[in-house]
Amino acid sequence: MMMPDRRRAVLTGLGAVSCLGAGAEAHWAGLLAGGAAPREVDLPYMHMRARRMYLTPPSAIPADPGTHAGIPLGPAPRMAVAAAREALADAGIGRGDTVRIPVVMGVEMGNASVQEEQRGAGGTPPWTPLAVTAAVVAEAVGSRAGTAGLGNACAAGGYALGVALDVIRAGEADVVLVGGAEGITRVGMAGFDRIRVTDPYGCRPFARDRAGTVFADGAAFAVLESAAHAASRGARPYAELGAAAWSCDAYHHPTAPEPDAVQLVRAMRNALADAGVRPEQVGCVLPHATGTPVNDAVESRALRRVFGDSSGRPPVFALKALIGHTSGAAGMFACLTAALIASRARIPANAPLDQDPECDVWLPQDGPVPLNRPAVLVNSCATGGVNASFVLSRVGDPA
């Protein structure tokens, strides 16, 4: 599957640190094994109903906190550096070749854990900016090109991927390092707990008894480069990124999505059209699917509008049921997972659930199923009605 004739972009390197361990291969193996389970977060001042997260094992988080311009670095930037380095190594790009590679990231809370730790220790903490992660990654990998950190809430990773694609298409760079990273933050957990959209047990998208989302920490990165540049150096792509599309509900409610999903449908259809992919060519959908009652129902309706109610609709893989909701990094974890699905032509099984009849989508649960069509559609949405959809397509034979 190839996008229309223009400057094409492919994914040539992947890196991840998450509750499934360190490395993209650990991520894939963990998905095939059924994913992780949330654990209790043991932090002071955790006065909230839902206290669980899908937590990255301490052994997977680089131990040396280090600093950036004198700023202490929490786990999120450290995980980001590890995932970024893995993605570059996986793509076969050495440190001497990174000077002109821009870094684009989706990050919401960023270095917030450092602020919280300093405030919890008493006294007046020094001012510590949140948005240092992209700069930290650029410094660590030797980039002297531009950096950007997008904070579009839980759609930040999807928007970052769209920005990276625009940079490639515009000819402003041959290679972009794009990713997302989030750590543990009491502020983030408490905010969602306060508006009652967190589940005290686990993340259960599309389940009859779902009660909200459950957050996770981690970092996911990809090397995106023009297809011509990848071919010139003999790189083997995981997948082609055919398109990314954005939309906004502009709905009157501050958190709930627009009930008819008009703008989410628009984003999906625009992404498919821009990639030159028809709905019947989509072999898998990775939905946003956070486990919140309203959002899952609305997204299910949107998927039915795009793909219909027939038996030909594609299988859906609800990633967050296996790794939790990584907030600003969620879109990049979905991208990484979609690239692995496309390259291996295999879709992991969904977590077992008692499916809500209102969420009438196909969720294979008995084991992995083949990717029988060439394209994968991904949705990344956020509070405030922010939507991003993107399309990845298989390149060559399965790995």
Side-chain angles (χ1 to χ4, degrees):
M1 173 62 55
M2 296 294 181
M3 65 173 284
D5 186 19
R6 72 179 78 174
R7 191 174 170 90
R8 293 168 41 227
V10 293
L11 297 161
T12 55
L14 303 174
V17 179
S18 74
C19 58
L20 300 178
E25 286 301 325
H27 177 80
W28 181 249
L31 295 180
L32 294 177
R39 295 186 285 118
E40 194 85 2
V41 177
D42 184 19
L43 289 173
Y45 313 112
M46 290 288 288
H47 307 305
M48 58 189 77
R49 179 180 64 104
R51 298 168 53 96
R52 292 184 175 186
M53 285 184 68
Y54 292 77
L55 295 170
T56 299
S59 59
I61 302 173
D64 181 13
T67 61
H68 173 78
I71 301 167
L73 300 179
R78 285 144 51 195
M79 289 188 287
V81 168
R85 284 173 170 163
E86 182 195 2
L88 289 167
D90 187 36
I93 296 175
R95 186 176 177 87
D97 300 318
T98 59
V99 173
R100 299 181 64 183
I101 296 178
V103 177
V104 181
M105 289 192 64
V107 183
E108 185 60 26
M109 297 303 293
N111 210 31
S113 62
V114 171
Q115 287 187 343
E116 294 174 2
E117 289 168 4
Q118 290 172 335
R119 191 167 297 279
T124 303
W127 181 77
T128 304
L130 294 179
V132 299
T133 313
V136 169
V137 169
E139 181 182 51
V141 303
S143 170
R144 293 296 179 264
T147 63
L150 284 73
N152 297 53
C154 301
Y159 272 70
L161 195 65
V163 169
L165 179 59
D166 284 348
V167 169
I168 296 290
R169 285 184 172 179
E172 295 176 0
D174 290 318
V175 184
V176 179
L177 182 60
V178 56
E182 297 289 1
I184 301 171
T185 161
R186 291 188 291 274
V187 172
M189 291 180 68
F192 278 81
D193 185 77
R194 185 67 180 266
I195 61 174
R196 293 293 189 264
V197 291
T198 51
D199 191 318
Y201 303 107
C203 193
R204 298 173 286 172
F206 304 120
R208 190 188 302 266
D209 60 347
R210 66 191 185 279
T213 200
V214 179
F215 285 103
D217 61 347
F221 268 82
V223 172
L224 184 70
E225 61 182 300
S226 72
H229 187 271
S232 71
R233 63 186 191 85
R236 180 185 174 95
Y238 284 92
E240 178 174 347
L241 178 59
W246 305 337
S247 69
C248 181
D249 291 356
Y251 187 52
H252 62 77
H253 194 280
T255 58
E258 196 275 321
D260 293 330
V262 172
Q263 292 300 325
L264 178 55
V265 169
R266 178 185 175 213
M268 287 191 279
R269 286 177 172 165
N270 284 351
L272 290 170
D274 190 32
V277 172
R278 300 186 304 275
E280 59 268 25
Q281 293 176 298
V282 175
C284 178
V285 176
L286 271 72
H288 188 60
T290 59
T292 50
V294 174
N295 295 52
D296 287 3
V298 168
E299 189 169 15
S300 297
R301 290 197 290 272
L303 291 172
R304 290 197 298 273
R305 287 183 59 187
V306 172
F307 295 103
D309 295 312
S310 69
S311 59
R313 59 186 175 171
V316 170
F317 179 54
L319 175 63
K320 293 178 182 65
L322 284 74
I323 68 167
H325 188 356
T326 49
S327 186
M332 280 308 304
F333 269 104
C335 172
L336 179 144
T337 303
L340 291 169
I341 288 173
S343 68
R344 299 176 188 196
R346 192 180 188 197
I347 307 167
N350 282 281
L353 79 158
D354 177 17
Q355 189 169 346
D356 184 351
E358 189 179 4
C359 300
D360 184 19
V361 295
W362 180 22
L363 295 162
Q365 300 172 48
D366 295 333
V369 297
L371 180 72
N372 290 325
R373 303 170 194 168
V376 181
L377 175 69
V378 181
N379 287 335
S380 183
C381 308
T383 296
V386 182
N387 309 302
S389 297
F390 46 95
V391 179
L392 279 73
S393 296
R394 194 164 57 218
V395 177
D397 297 326

